[in-house]
């Protein structure tokens, strides 16, 4: 089974701080790396995604950093806000012919005032 | 906006009952997915479908079956519900070329007693 390992399982950050969530993968065929955000009572929703031809992608306060040689990618949330409190999932898929996303186990982020 | 709806938000069933979970998407997506979400285990793929009447097993298909008679509708069936199938069930859909963004429904919290 292809795996994506996500850490930490839970994270508490002060308002205004930087939240960092890390993921590592094994399958070198993975070529699409999305992050999903899930609020309580809701389904996950795509937050930001990256392909391995770039090392970083930024959208507002959210940045994905990608290290192809280390087979790792991470989500950075700058100036974290209480409204960012949610569960975050990293995921990966392999090629246009792949139907499946392989998800990490999730990180529960709590941003405290 | 893409909308994925699930027939029930909460469902309580008895052990041995046959359970139907319904999912409808309104964006003419070819691909549809059923996941279960459990604390500490993340999202695990049960079944997916890439076309009407087509289905493929995911990572944890045991105890489940699916039906896709129309493009917009994907049903998950628990033939004989058991207590270990108590979980949050999430449906998702995605357009081709696959392996990309998935759009999730709000989930069905199933309790089997």
């Amino acid at each position: 089974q292809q795996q994506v390992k996500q850490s930490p399982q839970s994270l508490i950050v002060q308002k205004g701080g930087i939240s960092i969530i890390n993921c590592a993968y094994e399958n070198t065929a993975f070529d699409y790396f999305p992050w999903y955000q899930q609020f309580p009572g809701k389904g996950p929703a795509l937050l930001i995604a990256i392909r391995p031809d770039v090392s970083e992608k930024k959208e507002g306060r959210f940045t994905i950093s990608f290290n192809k040689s280390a087979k790792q990618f991470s989500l950075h949330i700058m100036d974290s806000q209480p409204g960012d409190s949610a569960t975050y999932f990293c995921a990966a898929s392999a090629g246009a012919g792949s139907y499946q996303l392989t998800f990490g186990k999730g990180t529960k982020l709590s941003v405290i005032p | 906006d893409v909308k994925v709806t699930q027939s029930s938000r909460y469902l309580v069933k008895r052990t041995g009952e046959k359970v139907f979970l319904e999912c409808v998407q309104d964006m003419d997506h070819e691909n549809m997915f059923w996941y279960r979400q459990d604390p500490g285990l993340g999202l695990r793929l049960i079944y997916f479908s890439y076309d009407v009447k087509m289905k493929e097993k995911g990572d944890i298909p045991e105890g489940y079956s699916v039906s896709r008679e129309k493009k917009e509708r994907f049903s998950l069936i628990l033939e004989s519900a058991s207590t270990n199938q108590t979980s949050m069930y999430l449906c998702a859909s995605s357009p081709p070329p696959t392996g990309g963004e998935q759009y999730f429904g709000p989930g069905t919290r199933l309790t089997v007693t």
Side-chain angles (χ1 to χ4, degrees), chain A residues 1 9 32 36 38 41-46 89 93 95-101 103-106, chain B residues 9 31 33 35 37 40-43 45 48 50 57 59 90 97-102 104-106:
Chain A
Q1 180 180 350
Q9 193 170 4
Y32 174 72
Y36 281 78
Q38 184 181 29
K42 304 284 188 182
L46 180 67
F89 294 95
S93 71
S98 169
Y99 297 96
Q100 297 190 44
L101 283 173
F103 284 88
K105 293 186 177 182
Chain B
R9 294 300 305 272
N31 308 314
F33 308 81
Y35 295 88
Q37 181 176 12
L41 297 179
L43 278 70
L45 183 65
F48 64 99
Y50 52 89
K57 293 180 180 179
D59 299 320
L90 291 163
T98 76
E101 180 177 3
Q102 294 185 12
F104 284 84

Side-chain angles (χ1 to χ4, degrees), chain A residues 9-105:
Chain A
Q9 193 170 4
S10 63
L11 182 61
I12 299 174
V13 173
Q14 289 255 302
K15 179 182 176 181
I18 302 173
S19 304
I20 302 174
I21 305 170
N22 300 299
C23 285
Y25 62 96
E26 299 168 356
N27 184 358
T28 54
F30 285 152
D31 67 351
Y32 174 72
F33 302 91
W35 285 89
Y36 281 78
Q37 179 188 54
Q38 184 181 29
F39 293 106
K42 304 284 188 182
L46 180 67
L47 181 64
I48 186 172
I50 197 169
R51 295 199 180 270
D53 52 342
V54 296
S55 61
E56 185 175 281
K57 184 174 182 179
K58 184 176 181 179
E59 290 184 3
R61 296 184 294 108
F62 299 90
T63 300
I64 298 179
S65 297
F66 182 77
N67 186 328
K68 189 174 182 178
S69 61
K71 292 186 285 185
Q72 295 176 347
F73 58 110
S74 60
L75 177 68
H76 295 235
I77 306 174
M78 311 299 288
D79 186 26
S80 299
Q81 299 296 313
D84 298 329
S85 298
T87 299
Y88 293 82
F89 294 95
C90 63
S93 71
S98 169
Y99 297 96
Q100 297 190 44
L101 283 173
T102 300
F103 284 88
K105 293 186 177 182

Side-chain angles (χ1 to χ4, degrees), chain B residues 7-81:
Chain B
S7 53
S8 304
R9 294 300 305 272
Y10 301 94
L11 208 53
V12 180
K13 296 292 182 180
R14 293 192 181 277
T15 301
E17 279 194 83
K18 191 170 185 176
V19 182
F20 293 86
L21 302 182
E22 303 284 335
C23 175
V24 177
Q25 51 96 0
D26 66 357
M27 281 301 292
D28 203 35
H29 286 169
E30 275 76 5
N31 308 314
M32 297 189 74
F33 308 81
W34 274 107
Y35 295 88
R36 64 176 283 175
Q37 181 176 12
D38 300 288
L41 297 179
L43 278 70
R44 294 181 292 167
L45 183 65
I46 304 171
Y47 267 96
F48 64 99
S49 168
Y50 52 89
D51 201 352
V52 175
K53 296 192 185 294
M54 305 303 289
K55 60 185 178 184
E56 293 285 344
K57 293 180 180 179
D59 299 320
I60 51 165
E62 296 78 19
Y64 303 95
S65 62
V66 290
S67 173
R68 192 165 180 201
E69 297 296 320
K70 293 185 178 181
K71 190 175 185 180
E72 67 271 18
R73 189 178 299 269
F74 192 34
S75 301
L76 180 69
I77 303 156
L78 287 67
E79 294 288 343
S80 178

